[in-house]
């Protein structure tokens, strides 16, 4: 394991050093690579946050790598992570046909003091295009990014109350227990921002980001007989996750601090 | 008897002295430079002086306006003093100061407040600053008839100082702008005119008070009257000497009469011109108001010269020589030729004058459209554009006086004709002053234009004179008399053409080099150039090659790397302006500070890139730094001249010959100048520029501009500077 780590660091250095040294773009004082931390944040106006239905702050932590490839263009790669909550404020029915040929409807009622926990890791690839006149990495920019979102939605033991209508007259009431689902999705983001270099070393980055999660749009457009009898818990949670991600990515303020590595 | 011997001795001494003074111009002339130690005003920063003066102001009326005036005045003054155009402790300044000494003999306190300098400018002008600074242009000294005229002009300027005219006008202008002036509160147009009226009143006052001051001295009042003639005819050359075309001719080079204006136009200067929108009253009014006061009882005891007639004439001659160079720098080539021509009448063998004429002819030539192909191209270097500034000989119809003939001739000559004349003149000058590197290089350059631009080779010039051809023609006719020798139709046509050529002045260029073609060196140099054996001087490899139709133009790296290891940096330019509802306020204090920051950034970036860095700065001058001051002056002259050429890389920077020493000392031929213009209005606007020049060839190597709607943050400027220097230093990829 240790060998692998050292090997990958060496490979990265061997690849990046000549990229930097032979670059045709100036970078900042000859430095083309910026490593840093960033935070996207915005008040959770609609959705819940990780552990509360009350209004809170959505906050995404990110580790960034940026490389100046042209006079006004940076290639950006970042790893980001955030936690938020998902609230399902409706009931849905899942229909099943049992071995006797009878249709069994299970009604799911979301009933929890805490929202469902959505933990998402994101991998972002994109480009920053700096304004005419300036030279990367200093000045105003526009950034386009593709964000691959790997989400894990966890529900606790008391999250759902189910009513099994095996006998309509006397439905069985129960809880489904704990569980988690993993969903993959992606978002497209567009940012407007500005970078400053402080003390010829630190890179301060701030701006605003707008994003869309296409999967959520599709789901909304289809207005799937959402919570129809054919819905499964997984599909419902997937949709809810995408919707939550959509709201999460729609608008964010952004601030980051990095350093000019080489 | 004793007295007679003494007078004889003094007379002899003066005669010898006069002879020595003018003998110095016989063979050559060395341009003026500053010497001695630098006065305090060159060393102190404008900020320091301004702060001191503002604190000395105390409680006064119009304090804010006065404060603004002090700051603006000090910064303008400092820029002027450090521009390199101001001469310190040179013969001209020393003489002018002696005249001021005479004027203020009885006012030592006032004399001590005055700082009088001569500036290298061709304008016929003198001007004063409130703080006691008076500047007299070389152009004025070259035109004066006597010392008394100079004394009157100085007295006029001294009055401006005494009466504090500059500050009063500044305050009045502000009041007029605000509509609070008691002088005029009418419409905007009326207030504008009031400004001129106010200024004219001040000028009239300066004339009258200046005359009063003159009367207190022993200067001739009658002689000073001509000062207004000097001003009225200031647009004419310093002397009117008929231009003769034989100046460029020799036994074989005969200029056709069609290039020579038989009669030059009369001088039609009007002294009663409309002065409504002029800062000075017209000459007739000035003369008229002063004339009644000119009568003095003691005129007979007054003198035209109180300092020295010899010294005046020597100084005027120096000013005239200096003016030839100033004309070249100011790109006034025909005037440079004419001024040199006038002086050549007296100093026929003067190398400086010959070089001036050759340089001017060369630069007129390279700006003329070639008879074969376009010689001047547009340069595309970096992302910036320098506008094309083609020199055109002014229309002779707009010229008055004797110089009109020269304008006519140079304006009407074709490129080939001018090339031939210039080469003939330059080569003969080179032979006369064998070994002069400037004339030698110019000869090569003229050969180059002849071959590369005008497509003329040795075979295009006749080695036989017209007389010789006529003679051989007669012999041929005699031979033809033999009945068995029949002449073909084609031979007849050729002979007829040659006859026309020989009998008329047409195609005079063909016979221009008959004499020179007997010179082995001339033929060898021409042949070498034609074969491409010598380096093509002044042809620019950076010029764009013409587009070839049908072929796709290869994508060119628009910002090439230059691979330069050492650069000489000039003091950066910085301008910070606040734009308040259309009115711009210069933030003077911040300028000095930011200039220093930009210089530090340049140093840091150069260090990062391992680009060797040296500077010519005037920011930290000390008293003993006169050499550095002179270096800066030379460099400023060079740059000023080069910028006037715009993107014309083929034009010769005539002051290059004086910059060799600087290149040697700096260890590089590349000079860089950068700057920032930051303007804050509703939004911030920041413009950055970077210019790199090759001092040896005059080439514009790099010109970069960047404009952003942002303030001039340090990191932003750093990124710009680093980018510029990276392109300068990085080796071009193969």
């Amino acid at each position: 394991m240790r060998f692998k780590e050292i090997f990958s660091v060496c490979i990265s250095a061997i690849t990046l050093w000549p990229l930097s040294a032979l670059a045709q773009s100036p970078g900042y004082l000859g430095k083309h690579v910026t490593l840093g931390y960033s935070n996207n944040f915005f008040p959770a106006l609609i959705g819940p946050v990780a552990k509360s239905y009350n209004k809170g702050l959505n906050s995404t932590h990110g580790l960034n790598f940026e490389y100046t490839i042209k006079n006004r263009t940076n290639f950006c790669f970042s790893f980001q992570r955030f936690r938020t909550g998902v609230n399902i404020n409706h009931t849905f029915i899942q229909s099943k046909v049992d071995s006797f040929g009878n249709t069994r409807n299970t009604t799911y009622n979301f009933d929890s003091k805490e929202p469902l926990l959505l933990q998402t890791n994101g991998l972002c690839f994109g480009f920053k295009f700096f304004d005419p006149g300036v030279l990367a990495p200093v000045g105003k920019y526009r950034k386009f990014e593709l964000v691959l979102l790997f989400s894990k939605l966890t529900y606790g033991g008391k999250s759902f109350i189910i009513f099994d209508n095996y006998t309509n007259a006397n439905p069985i009431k129960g809880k489904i227990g704990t569980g988690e689902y993993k969903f993959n999705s992606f978002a497209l983001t567009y940012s407007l921002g500005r970078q400053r270099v402080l003390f010829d070393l630190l890179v301060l980055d701030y701006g605003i980001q707008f994003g869309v999660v296409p999967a959520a749009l599709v789901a909304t457009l289809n207005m799937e007989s959402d919570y129809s009898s054919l819905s499964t818990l997984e599909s419902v949670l997937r949709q809810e996750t995408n919707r939550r991600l959509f709201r999460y990515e729609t608008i964010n303020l952004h601030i980051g601090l990095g350093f000019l590595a080489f | 008897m004793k007295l007679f011997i003494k007078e004889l001795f003094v007379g002899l001494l003066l005669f010898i002295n006069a002879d020595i003074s003018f003998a110095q111009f016989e063979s050559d002339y060395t341009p003026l430079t500053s010497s001695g130690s630098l006065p305090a005003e060159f060393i102190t920063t404008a900020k320091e002086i301004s702060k001191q003066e503002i604190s000395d102001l105390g409680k006064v009326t119009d304090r804010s306006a006065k404060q603004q005036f002090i700051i603006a005045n000090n910064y303008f003054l400092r820029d002027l003093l450090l521009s390199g155009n101001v001469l310190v402790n040179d013969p001209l300044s020393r003489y002018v100061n002696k005249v001021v000494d005479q004027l203020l003999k009885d006012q030592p306190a006032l004399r001590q407040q005055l700082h009088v300098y001569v500036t290298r400018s061709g304008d016929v002008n003198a001007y004063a600053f409130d703080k006691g600074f008076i500047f007299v242009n070389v152009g004025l000294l070259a035109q004066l008839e006597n010392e008394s005229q100079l004394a009157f002009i100085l007295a006029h300027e001294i009055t401006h100082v005494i009466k504090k005219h500059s500050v009063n006008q500044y305050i009045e202008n502000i009041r007029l702008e605000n509509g609070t002036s008691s002088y005029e509160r009418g419409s905007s147009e009326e207030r504008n005119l009031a400004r001129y009226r106010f200024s004219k009143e001040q000028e009239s006052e300066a004339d009258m008070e200046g005359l009063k001051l003159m009367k207190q001295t022993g200067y001739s009042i009658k002689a000073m009257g001509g000062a207004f003639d000097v001003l009225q005819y200031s647009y004419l050359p310093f002397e009117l000497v008929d231009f003769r075309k034989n100046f460029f001719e020799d036994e074989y080079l005969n200029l056709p009469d069609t290039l020579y204006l038989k009669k030059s136009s009369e001088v039609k200067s009007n002294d009663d011109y409309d002065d409504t929108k002029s800062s000075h009253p017209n000459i007739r009014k000035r003369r008229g108001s002063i004339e009644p006061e000119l009568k003095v009882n003691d005129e007979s005891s007054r003198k035209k010269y109180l300092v020295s007639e010899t010294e005046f004439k020597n100084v005027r001659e120096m000013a005239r020589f200096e003016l030839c160079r100033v004309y070249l720098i100011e790109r006034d080539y025909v005037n440079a030729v004419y001024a040199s021509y006038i002086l050549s009448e007296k100093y026929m063998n003067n190398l400086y004058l010959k070089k001036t004429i050759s340089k001017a002819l060369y630069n007129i030539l390279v700006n003329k459209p070639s008879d074969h192909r376009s010689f001047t191209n547009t340069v595309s270097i970096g992302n910036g554009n320098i506008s094309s500034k083609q020199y055109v000989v002014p229309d002779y119809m707009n010229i008055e006086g004797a110089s009109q003939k020269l304008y006519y001739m140079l304006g009407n000559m074709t490129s080939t004709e001018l090339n031939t004349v210039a080469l003939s003149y330059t080569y003969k000058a080179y032979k006369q002053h064998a070994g002069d590197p400037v004339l030698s290089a110019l000869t090569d350059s003229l050969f180059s234009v002849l071959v590369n631009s005008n497509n003329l080779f040795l075979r295009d010039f006749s080695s036989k004179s017209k007389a010789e051809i006529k003679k051989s023609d007669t012999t041929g006719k005699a031979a033809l008399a033999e009945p068995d020798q029949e002449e073909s139709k084609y031979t007849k046509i050729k002979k007829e053409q040659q006859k026309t050529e020989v009998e008329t002045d047409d195609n005079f260029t063909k016979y221009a080099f008959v004499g020179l073609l007997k010179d082995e060196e001339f033929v060898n140099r021409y042949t070498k150039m034609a074969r491409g054996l010598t380096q093509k001087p002044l042809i620019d490899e950076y010029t764009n090659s013409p587009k070839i139709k049908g072929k796709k133009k290869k994508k060119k790296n628009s910002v090439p790397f230059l691979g330069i290891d050492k650069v000489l940096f000039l003091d950066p330019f910085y301008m910070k302006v606040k734009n308040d509802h259309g009115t711009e306020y210069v933030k003077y204090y911040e300028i000095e500070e930011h200039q220093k920051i930009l210089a530090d950034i340049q140093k840091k970036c150069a260090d990062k890139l391992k680009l060797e860095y040296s500077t010519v700065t005037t920011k930290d001058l000390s008293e003993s730094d006169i050499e550095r001051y002179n270096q800066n002056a030379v460099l400023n002259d060079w740059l000023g001249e080069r910028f006037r050429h715009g993107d014309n890389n083929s034009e010769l920077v005539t002051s290059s010959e004086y910059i060799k020493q600087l290149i040697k000392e700096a260890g590089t031929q590349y000079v860089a100048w950068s700057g920032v213009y930051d303007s804050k209005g509703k939004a911030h606007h920041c413009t950055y520029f970077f210019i790199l020049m090759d001092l040896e060839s005059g080439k514009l190597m790099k010109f970069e501009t960047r404009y952003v709607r942002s303030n001039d943050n340090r990191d932003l400027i750093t990124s710009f500077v680093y980018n510029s220097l990276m392109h300068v230093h990085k080796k071009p990829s193969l």
Side-chain angles (χ1 to χ4, degrees), chain B residues 139-169:
Chain B
L140 176 68
L141 291 176
Q143 296 265 2
L144 293 170
E145 288 175 309
N146 54 55
E147 194 180 293
S148 191
Q149 290 174 354
L150 174 63
F152 174 62
I153 291 165
L154 288 167
H156 172 102
E157 298 306 328
I158 291 168
T159 308
H160 280 315
V161 175
I162 299 168
K163 299 278 175 184
K164 299 212 167 289
H165 280 162
S166 308
V167 69
N168 291 342
Q169 185 159 7

Short mmCIF file of all heavy atoms in Angstrom, two decimals, chain B residues 139-169:
data_model
loop_
_atom_site.label_atom_id
_atom_site.label_comp_id
_atom_site.label_asym_id
_atom_site.label_seq_id
_atom_site.Cartn_x
_atom_site.Cartn_y
_atom_site.Cartn_z
N GLY B 139 15.26 76.12 -29.48
CA GLY B 139 14.66 76.70 -30.68
C GLY B 139 14.61 78.22 -30.61
O GLY B 139 14.76 78.90 -31.63
N LEU B 140 14.39 78.77 -29.42
CA LEU B 140 14.35 80.22 -29.25
C LEU B 140 15.75 80.81 -29.37
O LEU B 140 15.97 81.80 -30.07
CB LEU B 140 13.72 80.57 -27.90
CG LEU B 140 13.70 82.05 -27.53
CD1 LEU B 140 12.75 82.82 -28.44
CD2 LEU B 140 13.28 82.26 -26.09
N LEU B 141 16.71 80.17 -28.70
CA LEU B 141 18.08 80.69 -28.73
C LEU B 141 18.63 80.73 -30.16
O LEU B 141 19.40 81.61 -30.51
CB LEU B 141 18.99 79.82 -27.85
CG LEU B 141 18.74 79.89 -26.33
CD1 LEU B 141 19.62 78.90 -25.60
CD2 LEU B 141 19.00 81.29 -25.81
N ALA B 142 18.21 79.75 -30.96
CA ALA B 142 18.71 79.67 -32.34
C ALA B 142 18.19 80.82 -33.20
O ALA B 142 18.78 81.15 -34.21
CB ALA B 142 18.30 78.34 -32.95
N GLN B 143 17.07 81.42 -32.81
CA GLN B 143 16.43 82.44 -33.63
C GLN B 143 16.81 83.87 -33.26
O GLN B 143 16.57 84.79 -34.04
CB GLN B 143 14.90 82.30 -33.50
CG GLN B 143 14.33 81.01 -34.02
CD GLN B 143 13.82 81.12 -35.45
OE1 GLN B 143 13.94 82.17 -36.07
NE2 GLN B 143 13.29 80.03 -35.97
N LEU B 144 17.36 84.06 -32.06
CA LEU B 144 17.56 85.42 -31.56
C LEU B 144 18.62 86.18 -32.35
O LEU B 144 19.55 85.60 -32.88
CB LEU B 144 17.96 85.37 -30.08
CG LEU B 144 16.88 84.87 -29.12
CD1 LEU B 144 17.49 84.64 -27.75
CD2 LEU B 144 15.73 85.86 -29.04
N GLU B 145 18.42 87.50 -32.37
CA GLU B 145 19.39 88.35 -33.09
C GLU B 145 20.47 88.89 -32.15
O GLU B 145 21.59 89.10 -32.56
CB GLU B 145 18.67 89.54 -33.71
CG GLU B 145 17.81 89.19 -34.90
CD GLU B 145 17.04 90.38 -35.40
OE1 GLU B 145 16.36 91.04 -34.57
OE2 GLU B 145 17.12 90.65 -36.60
N ASN B 146 20.07 89.17 -30.94
CA ASN B 146 21.06 89.72 -30.00
C ASN B 146 20.67 89.40 -28.56
O ASN B 146 19.58 88.89 -28.29
CB ASN B 146 21.19 91.24 -30.20
CG ASN B 146 19.84 91.93 -30.09
OD1 ASN B 146 19.13 91.76 -29.08
ND2 ASN B 146 19.44 92.67 -31.11
N GLU B 147 21.59 89.73 -27.68
CA GLU B 147 21.43 89.41 -26.25
C GLU B 147 20.28 90.20 -25.63
O GLU B 147 19.59 89.72 -24.73
CB GLU B 147 22.73 89.73 -25.53
CG GLU B 147 22.83 89.17 -24.14
CD GLU B 147 24.16 89.53 -23.52
OE1 GLU B 147 25.19 89.03 -23.99
OE2 GLU B 147 24.16 90.31 -22.55
N SER B 148 20.09 91.40 -26.15
CA SER B 148 19.05 92.26 -25.60
C SER B 148 17.66 91.62 -25.76
O SER B 148 16.81 91.71 -24.87
CB SER B 148 19.10 93.59 -26.35
OG SER B 148 18.30 94.52 -25.70
N GLN B 149 17.47 90.96 -26.90
CA GLN B 149 16.19 90.26 -27.14
C GLN B 149 16.00 89.14 -26.12
O GLN B 149 14.91 88.96 -25.57
CB GLN B 149 16.16 89.69 -28.56
CG GLN B 149 16.05 90.76 -29.62
CD GLN B 149 16.17 90.18 -31.03
OE1 GLN B 149 16.46 89.01 -31.22
NE2 GLN B 149 15.97 91.04 -32.02
N LEU B 150 17.08 88.42 -25.88
CA LEU B 150 17.00 87.33 -24.90
C LEU B 150 16.68 87.91 -23.51
O LEU B 150 15.84 87.38 -22.78
CB LEU B 150 18.32 86.55 -24.86
CG LEU B 150 18.44 85.48 -23.78
CD1 LEU B 150 17.41 84.36 -23.98
CD2 LEU B 150 19.83 84.84 -23.77
N ALA B 151 17.33 89.03 -23.20
CA ALA B 151 17.11 89.66 -21.89
C ALA B 151 15.64 90.06 -21.73
O ALA B 151 15.04 89.86 -20.66
CB ALA B 151 18.01 90.87 -21.76
N PHE B 152 15.04 90.58 -22.79
CA PHE B 152 13.64 91.00 -22.70
C PHE B 152 12.72 89.78 -22.48
O PHE B 152 11.80 89.82 -21.65
CB PHE B 152 13.22 91.76 -23.96
CG PHE B 152 11.75 92.07 -23.97
CD1 PHE B 152 11.18 92.89 -22.99
CD2 PHE B 152 10.91 91.53 -24.94
CE1 PHE B 152 9.81 93.15 -22.99
CE2 PHE B 152 9.54 91.78 -24.94
CZ PHE B 152 9.00 92.60 -23.96
N ILE B 153 13.01 88.72 -23.21
CA ILE B 153 12.18 87.51 -23.05
C ILE B 153 12.32 86.97 -21.63
O ILE B 153 11.34 86.58 -21.00
CB ILE B 153 12.55 86.46 -24.13
CG1 ILE B 153 12.10 86.97 -25.50
CG2 ILE B 153 11.93 85.10 -23.83
CD1 ILE B 153 12.68 86.25 -26.68
N LEU B 154 13.54 87.02 -21.12
CA LEU B 154 13.75 86.54 -19.74
C LEU B 154 13.05 87.46 -18.74
O LEU B 154 12.46 86.98 -17.75
CB LEU B 154 15.24 86.44 -19.44
CG LEU B 154 15.97 85.28 -20.14
CD1 LEU B 154 17.47 85.45 -20.04
CD2 LEU B 154 15.55 83.94 -19.54
N ALA B 155 13.11 88.76 -19.02
CA ALA B 155 12.44 89.73 -18.13
C ALA B 155 10.93 89.48 -18.11
O ALA B 155 10.28 89.56 -17.06
CB ALA B 155 12.74 91.14 -18.61
N HIS B 156 10.41 89.16 -19.29
CA HIS B 156 8.98 88.82 -19.41
C HIS B 156 8.66 87.59 -18.53
O HIS B 156 7.68 87.60 -17.77
CB HIS B 156 8.69 88.54 -20.89
CG HIS B 156 7.33 87.99 -21.18
ND1 HIS B 156 6.31 88.78 -21.67
CD2 HIS B 156 6.81 86.74 -21.07
CE1 HIS B 156 5.24 88.04 -21.85
NE2 HIS B 156 5.52 86.79 -21.49
N GLU B 157 9.49 86.59 -18.60
CA GLU B 157 9.24 85.37 -17.82
C GLU B 157 9.42 85.62 -16.32
O GLU B 157 8.68 85.09 -15.50
CB GLU B 157 10.18 84.23 -18.26
CG GLU B 157 10.01 83.77 -19.71
CD GLU B 157 8.58 83.37 -20.08
OE1 GLU B 157 7.87 82.87 -19.20
OE2 GLU B 157 8.18 83.59 -21.25
N ILE B 158 10.41 86.46 -16.00
CA ILE B 158 10.63 86.79 -14.57
C ILE B 158 9.38 87.47 -14.00
O ILE B 158 8.98 87.22 -12.87
CB ILE B 158 11.90 87.67 -14.41
CG1 ILE B 158 13.15 86.84 -14.73
CG2 ILE B 158 12.00 88.25 -13.00
CD1 ILE B 158 14.42 87.66 -14.90
N THR B 159 8.75 88.31 -14.82
CA THR B 159 7.52 88.97 -14.36
C THR B 159 6.44 87.93 -14.06
O THR B 159 5.72 88.05 -13.06
CB THR B 159 7.02 89.96 -15.44
OG1 THR B 159 8.08 90.81 -15.79
CG2 THR B 159 5.85 90.77 -14.95
N HIS B 160 6.34 86.93 -14.92
CA HIS B 160 5.37 85.86 -14.65
C HIS B 160 5.62 85.24 -13.27
O HIS B 160 4.68 84.95 -12.53
CB HIS B 160 5.49 84.75 -15.71
CG HIS B 160 4.81 85.05 -17.00
ND1 HIS B 160 3.55 85.58 -17.08
CD2 HIS B 160 5.22 84.86 -18.30
CE1 HIS B 160 3.21 85.72 -18.37
NE2 HIS B 160 4.21 85.29 -19.12
N VAL B 161 6.89 85.08 -12.94
CA VAL B 161 7.24 84.48 -11.64
C VAL B 161 6.86 85.43 -10.51
O VAL B 161 6.19 85.03 -9.55
CB VAL B 161 8.75 84.13 -11.59
CG1 VAL B 161 9.13 83.63 -10.21
CG2 VAL B 161 9.11 83.11 -12.66
N ILE B 162 7.30 86.68 -10.67
CA ILE B 162 7.06 87.67 -9.59
C ILE B 162 5.56 87.82 -9.33
O ILE B 162 5.11 87.84 -8.20
CB ILE B 162 7.67 89.05 -9.95
CG1 ILE B 162 9.18 88.93 -10.13
CG2 ILE B 162 7.36 90.08 -8.87
CD1 ILE B 162 9.83 90.17 -10.75
N LYS B 163 4.80 87.93 -10.40
CA LYS B 163 3.36 88.19 -10.28
C LYS B 163 2.54 86.94 -10.01
O LYS B 163 1.32 87.00 -9.92
CB LYS B 163 2.84 88.87 -11.56
CG LYS B 163 3.48 90.19 -11.86
CD LYS B 163 2.82 91.30 -11.07
CE LYS B 163 3.53 92.61 -11.27
NZ LYS B 163 2.98 93.68 -10.43
N LYS B 164 3.20 85.82 -9.93
CA LYS B 164 2.54 84.54 -9.66
C LYS B 164 1.39 84.29 -10.64
O LYS B 164 0.26 83.96 -10.26
CB LYS B 164 2.05 84.46 -8.20
CG LYS B 164 3.16 84.56 -7.19
CD LYS B 164 2.87 83.76 -5.96
CE LYS B 164 4.07 83.58 -5.05
NZ LYS B 164 5.08 82.68 -5.56
N HIS B 165 1.68 84.49 -11.88
CA HIS B 165 0.65 84.39 -12.91
C HIS B 165 0.07 82.98 -13.03
O HIS B 165 -1.13 82.82 -13.24
CB HIS B 165 1.21 84.86 -14.26
CG HIS B 165 1.24 86.34 -14.38
ND1 HIS B 165 2.00 87.01 -15.32
CD2 HIS B 165 0.60 87.33 -13.68
CE1 HIS B 165 1.82 88.31 -15.20
NE2 HIS B 165 0.98 88.53 -14.20
N SER B 166 0.95 81.96 -12.90
CA SER B 166 0.45 80.58 -13.09
C SER B 166 -0.63 80.23 -12.08
O SER B 166 -1.69 79.74 -12.43
CB SER B 166 1.57 79.56 -12.95
OG SER B 166 2.62 79.90 -13.76
N VAL B 167 -0.32 80.49 -10.79
CA VAL B 167 -1.28 80.11 -9.75
C VAL B 167 -2.56 80.93 -9.87
O VAL B 167 -3.66 80.41 -9.69
CB VAL B 167 -0.66 80.15 -8.33
CG1 VAL B 167 -0.35 81.56 -7.89
CG2 VAL B 167 -1.56 79.47 -7.33
N ASN B 168 -2.40 82.21 -10.21
CA ASN B 168 -3.59 83.06 -10.36
C ASN B 168 -4.48 82.55 -11.48
O ASN B 168 -5.70 82.51 -11.34
CB ASN B 168 -3.18 84.51 -10.64
CG ASN B 168 -2.53 85.15 -9.43
OD1 ASN B 168 -2.67 84.64 -8.31
ND2 ASN B 168 -1.79 86.22 -9.64
N GLN B 169 -3.84 82.15 -12.55
CA GLN B 169 -4.62 81.65 -13.68
C GLN B 169 -5.30 80.33 -13.32
O GLN B 169 -6.45 80.08 -13.69
CB GLN B 169 -3.72 81.46 -14.89
CG GLN B 169 -4.51 81.07 -16.11
CD GLN B 169 -3.78 81.35 -17.40
OE1 GLN B 169 -2.62 81.73 -17.39
NE2 GLN B 169 -4.46 81.17 -18.50
#
